[in-house]
């Protein structure tokens, strides 16, 4: 039980050369574990469930950057909008419109990543490349002045086939390269969130600059 300090130090070393950000995924884990990792210098934490996040957030230091990495329902955006640092899993224009609405209400610009469907599995949420292209047109972007589109997030297939995982990450990196070199009005595509406990080294090799790691830091989960 508790946090794995050895893994934490090793992961930080692995991330150094890519200058990648570690998001510690603390879903289902107690606030005491989050506080322990915070005390070792970690500031970026990721949660999957709105209710769990809104319960934990007031109990922990105010300078934590909270990442929402789960599937976000439109009617729940309002609960995390006041404090969330980055929403990773934006997978529909409807959700983007709701985030815009909440950002306008609060007078803040909410940073988001567009989730891109790269896995072969049907169950994973996300846009495909042509939908991303439609969304990143200047006339569409101009409707979202309270949203900052900061990059892309993707999840590879759940498979032991490393070659397939690498190919899926490479696909997302290609998309990222296209848009990060583009001059988009009011937005800068600069974050590529890919890689979890079991595939983060492959993700880094393919150009990830943000990894979301849970079980290596906090131990296995009973659920989620
Ligand atoms: C749970 C989760 C993670 C972390 O998974 P681990 O395998 O525990 O590292 C990363 N990203 C998303 C979207 C998740 O839901």
């Amino acid at each position: 039980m508790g946090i794995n300090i050895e893994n934490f130090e090793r992961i930080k070393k692995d991330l150094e050369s890519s200058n990648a950000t570690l998001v510690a995924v603390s879903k289902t884990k107690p606030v005491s574990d989050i506080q322990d990792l915070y005390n070792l210098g970690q500031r970026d934490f990721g949660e999957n469930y709105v209710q769990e996040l809104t319960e934990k957030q007031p109990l922990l230091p105010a300078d934590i950057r909270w990442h929402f990495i789960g599937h976000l329902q439109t009617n729940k955006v309002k609960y995390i909008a006041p404090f969330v640092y980055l929403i990773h899993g934006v997978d529909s224009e409807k959700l983007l419109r709701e985030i815009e609405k909440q950002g306008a209400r609060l007078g803040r610009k909410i940073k988001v990543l567009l989730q891109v469907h790269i896995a072969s599995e049907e169950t994973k949420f996300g846009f495909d490349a042509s939908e991303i292209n439609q969304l990143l047109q200047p006339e569409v972007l101009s409707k979202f002045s309270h949203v900052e589109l900061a990059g892309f997030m993707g999840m590879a297939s759940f498979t032991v086939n490393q070659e397939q995982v690498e190919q899926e990450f490479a696909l997302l990196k290609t998309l990222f390269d296209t848009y990060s070199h583009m001059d988009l009005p009011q937005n800068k595509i600069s974050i590529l969130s890919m890689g979890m406990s079991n595939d983060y080294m492959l993700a880094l090799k393919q150009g990830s600059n943000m990894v979301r790691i849970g079980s290596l830091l906090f131990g296995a989960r009973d659920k989620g």
Side-chain angles (χ1 to χ4, degrees), residues 25 27 48 69-70 153 155 195-198 212-216 219 221 224:
V25 177
K27 61 184 175 200
N48 279 54
I69 63 168
M153 179 268 218
M155 276 191 275
M196 320 196 339
S197 286
N198 56 8
R212 311 173 308 272
I213 297 184
S215 39
L216 279 182
R221 290 175 298 271

